[in-house]
Amino acid sequence: MPHRTELDPHKFRRRGVLFVLSSPSGAGKSTIARKLLAADPYLEMSVSYTTRPMRPGEVDGKDYHFVDLERFREMVSNHEFLEWAHVFNERYGTPKQQVSDILASGRDVLFDIDWQGAQQLFQLAGGDVVRVFILPPSLKILHERLIKRATDATEIIDARMARATSEVSHWDGYDYVLVNDDIQSTYESVHTILKAERLKRSRQTGLIGFIRGLNK
Ligand code: ADP
Ligand code: 5GP
């Protein structure tokens, strides 16, 4: 099924969008991703593989595919990842097959990956990639959100905070940078970005046929 341009009465064929959301852990990207997926039927999440242990409430195959180091290494040597990286002493990777299946079904792909993943995806598929970075209003608020989320032990929260400053330093590798103060308005901005990117001329490969028809 070809991609269609949402909100476009002519519904031209278009290239799929690889939509990347990154942020320091706790800034709100999973919350924004959940809202986007619930609201947008043309968007599907890329489910990564990870070697990190499952958190309470997580579901294998939905939040991540949880695998051991041996399996992860095997997937790397079989070239099964579009990109992969070390994060918090664990490994995380984006499977190639799922991304091509989503694109082939006519939908766009949402990635919750870090700056290393965003960089690698951009090197692979530049023009199709849209990179959005979410910042917390302050490091104090970031810390409070991690505590309130109550999914990590204190030492893990400390490690995430220690990493936050270095993650923020990669803000300039993104196309859009938003401060997540109010969740609803941040989500709406992110959705607006996605909708506008779908309408870019360079993505609308079906436009040329329409223009030719107009000039007949
Ligand atoms: P991330 O995926 O970036 O690690 P989460 O989406 O899990 O972050 O958000 C961390 C915590 O902060 C969650 O408990 C979430 O409900 C809360 N949160 C997210 N955005 C906001 C916001 N704008 N205001 C207040 N709390 C928020
Ligand atoms: P968490 O352990 O909190 O789920 O994720 C830790 C970090 O790893 C987050 O910044 C998340 O975006 C990143 N991440 C998750 N999956 C991938 C992936 O497949 N590739 C890369 N490069 N980063 C990932």
Side-chain angles (χ1 to χ4, degrees):
M1 205 218 324
H3 286 78
R4 300 296 184 196
T5 306
E6 201 185 3
L7 305 180
D8 186 326
H10 300 294
K11 297 204 176 296
F12 300 125
R13 202 189 151 83
R14 66 169 175 83
R15 298 183 64 79
V17 178
L18 305 180
F19 198 69
V20 177
L21 269 187
S22 304
S23 77
S25 184
K29 66 185 172 313
S30 314
T31 309
I32 294 163
R34 272 196 297 276
K35 283 174 160 292
L36 281 175
L37 292 164
D40 196 313
Y42 303 104
L43 189 65
E44 198 173 319
M45 188 87 202
S46 159
V47 181
S48 296
Y49 282 73
T50 182
T51 58
R52 84 148 162 75
M54 211 188 286
R55 285 188 206 137
E58 284 185 328
V59 178
D60 191 14
K62 183 168 174 281
D63 298 289
Y64 285 102
H65 298 283
F66 294 92
V67 292
D68 60 17
L69 185 56
E70 192 188 348
R71 173 74 188 122
F72 195 97
R73 285 192 169 134
E74 194 178 279
M75 291 182 73
V76 171
S77 53
N78 291 340
H79 307 285
E80 291 179 54
F81 291 122
L82 259 186
E83 62 78 32
W84 70 273
H86 289 271
V87 186
F88 301 121
N89 297 322
E90 300 287 355
R91 288 163 211 218
Y92 294 78
T94 301
K96 265 184 203 164
Q97 187 62 49
Q98 194 201 3
V99 172
S100 47
D101 289 348
I102 297 171
L103 290 173
S105 77
R107 277 164 293 165
D108 300 311
V109 192
L110 178 63
F111 299 87
D112 170 345
I113 57 179
D114 78 340
W115 65 272
Q116 305 172 83
Q119 202 173 66
Q120 292 178 66
L121 264 195
F122 189 74
Q123 278 160 8
L124 276 174
D128 293 331
V129 180
V130 177
R131 298 157 297 175
V132 180
F133 196 67
I134 308 293
L135 288 171
S138 69
L139 289 181
K140 183 168 171 287
I141 291 176
L142 181 69
H143 195 216
E144 286 165 8
R145 285 184 187 166
L146 284 170
I147 291 169
K148 198 181 115 221
R149 187 169 72 182
T151 52
D152 298 311
T154 312
E155 58 271 27
I156 293 182
I157 291 181
D158 290 348
R160 291 182 186 279
M161 285 304 295
R163 208 183 133 87
T165 316
S166 84
E167 297 210 338
V168 168
S169 73
H170 298 285
W171 66 278
D172 58 351
Y174 288 78
D175 305 301
Y176 300 89
V177 180
L178 305 175
V179 177
N180 178 19
D181 218 324
D182 172 70
I183 186 67
Q184 185 60 21
S185 71
T186 310
Y187 149 69
E188 281 168 14
S189 299
V190 174
H191 205 180
T192 301
I193 292 166
L194 173 61
K195 289 175 182 171
E197 289 284 348
R198 285 173 172 156
L199 292 169
K200 268 199 169 162
R201 179 175 56 77
S202 55
R203 297 213 159 83
Q204 301 206 52
T205 49
L207 196 51
I208 187 76
F210 177 75
I211 303 289
R212 281 188 187 135
L214 270 187
N215 293 335
K216 264 185 190 155

